[in-house]
Amino acid sequence: MASTPRQWTEQETEQFVVLMEKLVIEGKRVDAGQFKPGAFQKLADKMNEKFPGCGLTVKHIRNKHKRLKEKYMYVAEMLGCSGFGWNSQKMCVEVDSKQVLEAWENGRNVTLYTPGKPFPLFERLGNIFGKDRATGLEACSGKDAEEDVTPGSTFAAATAGGLGLDGEDVDMEDLAAAESELPNTYSTSFASSSERNQRRQSATKISKDAAILSNLAETFKAAVQDQGKHVQILANAMSGVNEQVNLGRTLRSLGFDTMEIVQITKKFVQNPKLKATFWSLDEEKAAFARDIMDNF
């Protein structure tokens, strides 16, 4: 007589993943997403501390670890194929069409996940099983790793119904998923190709628009800087002309005749510092100009 499956609650599954994440941080994970010897016993102890009376054994822990790994690998391989994509907002896989999904399932006698159904643990499980993506569902190796207890291939492949629900224990969410999948495998909604392409095109358009605006901003900035240089050059030129005109008028107003103005101007040309000093003075301009004529 078959034993009654042990049903995991969502709270228990969440805590189990939290504990596995801690083991990864502590360096207790080895190749193929397995843990070092003694890790499963530690997980069982921690789970029983967190949920007194839950009765979880090492065998339950191993089976749970294996099923989560298989489900993660199933979804990871699905996302590696054309026509599938991850919706980070809905936390689920989206597929372009029913035909794409049928092609994917062709030859597979097990359905561990159906696109459209939320799988919020997927990204977190990637930190635990992520390195196994290239090795497929059968990956479970390493001499120092804890061994799986379920013989044969995968846990779900060993079941007669192909839904991964036969065995020592099972998730409540898996039971609900099985009930919804039995009447119609394709009961979930599909993301149309046009919708997926529209999202890609929208993202591409935003990127292109941002690049265009950035280029326009740089062009405008360069134009302003270039224009500023021309304005400054023009201002300097005008300042020079005005200064020369003002110099003659100023010296004449100070009582210098034409020859004296020419002489002082030559001195200023030879020594620009004298000119700068001259313009910095006020009532002393006349005395300074005559000193220039006599001593320079």
Side-chain angles (χ1 to χ4, degrees):
M1 180 177 179
S3 60
T4 302
R6 201 280 176 190
Q7 298 179 356
W8 285 66
T9 65
E10 292 185 9
Q11 291 78 11
E12 289 174 339
T13 300
E14 167 66 23
Q15 181 62 26
F16 183 65
V17 173
V18 170
L19 292 175
M20 287 196 296
E21 290 173 329
K22 290 182 179 179
L23 288 180
V24 172
I25 294 174
E26 294 172 1
K28 298 298 179 62
R29 187 183 73 168
V30 294
D31 292 339
Q34 297 299 313
F35 293 105
K36 294 180 180 180
F40 286 162
Q41 181 62 60
K42 182 177 180 180
L43 287 170
D45 294 341
K46 291 292 184 181
M47 288 296 295
N48 281 277
E49 289 178 10
K50 183 67 176 179
F51 303 99
C54 66
L56 288 171
T57 65
V58 172
K59 187 174 183 179
H60 290 137
I61 297 298
R62 286 174 174 167
N63 282 336
K64 181 65 172 178
H65 170 271
K66 183 174 183 179
R67 281 203 316 281
L68 285 174
K69 177 181 177 181
E70 288 172 349
K71 186 175 182 179
Y72 168 80
M73 294 299 302
Y74 187 90
V75 174
E77 291 181 4
M78 182 181 286
L79 290 173
C81 296
S82 177
F84 295 92
W86 179 257
N87 188 321
S88 58
Q89 293 182 338
K90 297 181 179 179
M91 305 296 287
C92 69
V93 174
E94 290 184 341
V95 59
D96 284 346
S97 66
K98 178 179 178 179
Q99 291 71 27
V100 172
L101 183 58
E102 287 177 340
W104 158 260
E105 292 180 336
N106 186 28
R108 290 180 169 85
N109 63 347
V110 55
T111 300
L112 298 180
Y113 174 81
T114 301
K117 293 186 177 297
F119 186 15
L121 293 177
F122 175 72
E123 293 177 331
R124 292 171 61 190
L125 291 176
N127 297 324
I128 302 171
F129 308 122
K131 293 184 178 180
D132 291 346
R133 288 193 181 188
T135 61
L137 294 176
E138 298 294 338
C140 260
S141 62
K143 294 182 179 180
D144 296 330
E146 291 272 13
E147 296 180 355
D148 290 318
V149 297
T150 306
S153 57
T154 65
F155 174 88
T159 67
L163 291 174
L165 301 180
D166 254 354
E168 290 290 325
D169 47 4
V170 66
D171 291 333
M172 293 295 290
E173 56 190 280
D174 288 338
L175 286 171
E179 292 175 358
S180 64
E181 288 169 5
L182 284 173
N184 182 3
T185 305
Y186 307 109
S187 59
T188 184
S189 60
F190 295 96
S192 66
S193 297
S194 60
E195 290 175 343
R196 290 167 64 83
N197 290 334
Q198 185 176 3
R199 284 197 293 269
R200 296 191 187 101
Q201 292 172 1
S202 178
T204 302
K205 184 177 184 300
I206 292 174
S207 178
K208 289 182 177 179
D209 289 346
I212 291 174
L213 289 174
S214 178
N215 289 335
L216 285 174
E218 290 298 325
T219 302
F220 180 75
K221 180 180 178 180
V224 170
Q225 291 176 343
D226 189 54
Q227 186 67 24
K229 292 178 181 178
H230 289 299
V231 171
Q232 187 61 46
I233 292 173
L234 179 61
N236 291 341
M238 293 177 64
S239 176
V241 172
N242 291 335
E243 188 176 278
Q244 295 301 326
V245 174
N246 290 335
L247 178 60
R249 291 177 179 175
T250 301
L251 289 174
R252 191 171 298 279
S253 67
L254 293 174
F256 293 93
D257 58 28
T258 301
M259 293 304 299
E260 290 173 331
I261 293 173
V262 171
Q263 184 180 355
I264 295 172
T265 301
K266 287 182 178 181
K267 299 291 185 181
F268 283 170
V269 172
Q270 294 172 357
N271 192 338
K273 291 183 178 181
L274 294 177
K275 180 175 65 175
T277 303
F278 174 82
W279 288 115
S280 68
L281 300 175
D282 190 10
E283 297 178 353
E284 301 84 3
K285 280 187 174 66
F288 183 74
R290 293 200 178 276
D291 183 70
I292 290 174
M293 290 176 56
D294 297 337
N295 300 310
F296 287 90

